[in-house]
Amino acid sequence: MKTIGIDIGTTTISIVLVSLPESTLLQALTLPNDTFLPTAHPWERLQDPAAILAKVLPALEELLSTYSDVISIGLTGQMHGIVYLDKSGSAVSPLFTWQDGRGNLPDYENGKSVCSRMSETYGIKLATGYGLATHLYNLKKGLVPADAASFCTIADYAGMALTGRDTPLLHISQAASLGLYDCKSNVFLRDIITENRICPDFLPAVTKEAVSLGTFRGIPVCASIGDNQASFIGSAGEDMDCILVNIGTGSQISVPSHSFFQGKGIEARPLTADSYLLAGAALCGGSAYAALERFFREYMAAAGGPDVPQYDIMKKLLDGQGEPKESWTVRTTFLGTRENPEETGSVSGLRLDNFRPAALIRGVLNGMAEELYGLYQIIRSETGLSPARLIASGNGVRKNSALQDILKARFKMPLTIVAHEEEAAYGAAMTAASS
């Protein structure tokens, strides 16, 4: 028997086929999610739901035409963003992605943004791109489609399209990602929502369990789960005694817990009906190393060399570094932090005898690891959690052996690299198989 997982990411769409009961990855397909729409404003980040489905459906049909023993279909995808639906369950708007910036625009009310007003009035952290921040702004500016009856994430919309549902049903992991949500009680903050002129009936229904939405070609389709949760399940399974570090364009640390905790830079995200992922994100993550590569590439081109990737040369410099401890101290907060978006990065510890490229390269890698370790320290000091092992996923760490060594040394734990690259799609497939 087999199960399928679909991950609708921001830049790629991944579909995997997993064999049961041995949980072997049989096939993986990655498609570009090049569905961004042209916009009138630089802060808008919109994608086309119909174009996304036009990529998902043929790929899914091809798998099902090849394999007849598929027993379940799981879904995950980019969290936070929303697409508006009419009463029949059809999309009547673009997908307002998690990258959309309208929640930070200062023209919402009295010179304040949606996010700042929620913070000042209710003490609630609501980031731009979160579905209810987007909806509040759209409501205020008359941008909600006249025939809209509800909204959901893009993965939830795909589930509706596959099963013919006319109303959305969101797993708690997706519902919480929209904001204005009580993760302890697993309900939307209806008093605040009503006070801000959102009709409670507009909110999607929520389930604590990964239940079936219906069927596609006779195969049960599971309600989508958040991509952070799916990545954890796809990387660690049911292991509650571990830390998951994911380093891609950004980076994130996730620690499973049966207790609720939120702190500076840490949010509790629903994992199951009785557990959470304590998650912290470093906004720059792998982008810091990519920025350093661009720095060296620009110099190479200016010096008359070829304009080609410099990663192999950077690795050669690291391998030849005589004393790895002789590195610069680099704070890689080049995109700020969740708590302080205006924060900048910094470089210190430069001396004449360590003024060498390898010292900068290793310093950046150390800084990437240090950001994640700092978030883990907050979790450990406040909760007492002390996991036994470290799991790493994402190409930012999978393809960088020096970063792997740095993480092992900083966390003082054995490190396991997730073998398969499509962790979120794999996690969605396994969730659907067990639901």
Side-chain angles (χ1 to χ4, degrees):
M1 297 183 295
K2 299 172 180 66
T3 180
I4 290 174
I6 302 170
D7 173 22
I8 303 175
T10 311
T11 57
T12 59
I13 297 169
S14 302
I15 304 177
V16 301
L17 180 75
V18 180
S19 176
L20 302 171
E22 62 272 22
S23 304
T24 302
L25 183 64
L26 295 180
Q27 191 169 338
L29 175 66
T30 300
L31 307 169
N33 188 357
D34 49 2
T35 65
F36 276 99
L37 296 168
T39 63
H41 307 286
W43 41 263
E44 289 183 299
R45 294 290 285 171
L46 312 177
Q47 289 182 323
D48 184 344
I52 289 172
L53 288 182
K55 289 175 173 287
V56 170
L57 288 173
L60 179 58
E61 292 277 19
E62 183 176 346
L63 274 181
L64 294 178
S65 67
T66 306
Y67 300 93
S68 60
D69 52 352
V70 174
I71 63 166
S72 57
I73 298 171
L75 292 160
T76 186
Q78 50 178 298
M79 299 159 68
H80 311 305
I82 56 170
V83 55
Y84 287 103
L85 313 170
D86 64 16
K87 290 183 179 180
S88 68
S90 298
V92 291
S93 78
L95 165 63
F96 298 84
T97 75
W98 63 277
Q99 296 174 322
D100 193 86
R102 70 194 64 215
N104 280 340
L105 297 177
D107 64 340
Y108 176 65
E109 189 174 288
N110 299 324
K112 297 185 183 299
S113 68
V114 172
C115 297
S116 62
R117 184 179 180 280
M118 291 297 109
S119 175
E120 293 175 14
T121 306
Y122 306 106
I124 291 174
K125 295 178 182 178
L126 184 65
T128 188
Y130 279 42
L132 278 161
T134 297
H135 182 56
L136 280 169
Y137 185 89
N138 288 346
L139 198 62
K140 186 83 167 181
K141 299 298 181 179
L143 300 175
V144 177
D147 50 352
S150 189
F151 53 70
C152 65
T153 75
I154 185 60
D156 292 301
Y157 177 61
M160 294 175 67
L162 290 176
T163 59
R165 285 182 66 96
D166 55 13
T167 57
L169 177 62
L170 274 61
H171 183 258
I172 50 177
S173 59
Q174 291 284 30
S177 80
L178 302 182
L180 301 186
Y181 189 85
D182 182 348
C183 291
K184 283 185 177 179
S185 303
N186 279 315
V187 294
F188 286 106
L189 299 173
R190 288 179 176 260
D191 290 347
I192 294 174
I193 284 168
T194 303
E195 188 175 323
N196 285 273
R197 300 181 296 280
I198 297 176
C199 175
D201 292 341
F202 208 88
L203 298 172
V206 178
T207 173
K208 293 182 180 181
E209 308 294 338
V211 297
S212 174
L213 297 174
T215 61
F216 178 76
R217 305 289 186 262
I219 302 167
V221 178
C222 184
S224 97
I225 58 174
D227 58 358
N228 182 200
Q229 292 85 345
S231 292
F232 181 84
I233 294 167
S235 302
E238 298 180 353
D239 188 354
M240 295 290 287
D241 191 28
C242 67
I243 304 168
L244 174 64
V245 166
N246 180 274
I247 302 178
T249 303
S251 66
Q252 188 171 65
I253 186 167
S254 301
V255 180
S257 172
H258 288 294
S259 300
F260 179 90
F261 166 73
Q262 290 194 156
K264 185 178 180 181
I266 306 298
E267 61 178 301
R269 296 176 172 176
L271 178 60
T272 66
D274 59 359
S275 66
Y276 305 90
L277 279 185
L278 308 184
L283 299 183
C284 207
S287 294
Y289 200 63
L292 183 61
E293 186 273 338
R294 289 195 302 273
F295 176 88
F296 286 124
R297 187 192 297 204
E298 184 177 335
Y299 178 83
M300 173 70 79
D307 184 5
V308 296
Q310 300 296 299
Y311 291 112
D312 288 344
I313 297 175
M314 292 162 69
K315 182 180 185 304
K316 182 178 179 181
L317 288 166
L318 280 178
D319 291 343
Q321 188 180 23
E323 178 51 69
K325 292 182 180 179
E326 292 298 315
S327 301
W328 302 359
T329 300
V330 182
R331 182 164 170 77
T332 53
T333 50
F334 305 145
L335 290 173
T337 66
R338 291 278 192 206
E339 298 291 314
N340 182 12
E342 302 304 316
E343 190 167 338
T344 61
S346 63
V347 179
S348 62
L350 282 70
R351 298 187 305 274
L352 191 60
D353 58 355
N354 75 351
F355 206 87
R356 304 176 67 85
L360 170 59
I361 297 168
R362 193 173 295 275
V364 168
L365 293 176
N366 285 338
M368 291 163 58
E370 192 62 35
E371 274 198 88
L372 295 173
Y373 185 75
L375 293 166
Y376 167 60
Q377 284 292 83
I378 294 171
I379 295 172
R380 186 170 69 169
S381 64
E382 295 295 330
T383 67
L385 290 171
S386 186
R389 68 190 185 103
L390 184 65
I391 301 172
S393 64
N395 286 335
V397 64
R398 183 179 285 110
K399 297 180 178 180
N400 194 320
S401 59
L403 181 54
Q404 294 172 23
D405 292 338
I406 288 169
L407 287 168
K408 282 189 286 188
R410 190 67 187 95
F411 282 83
K412 296 182 175 62
M413 293 181 191
L415 177 68
T416 301
I417 303 297
V418 179
H420 45 270
E421 296 187 12
E422 306 302 342
E423 302 94 349
Y426 184 89
M430 298 311 297
T431 298
S434 61
S435 63

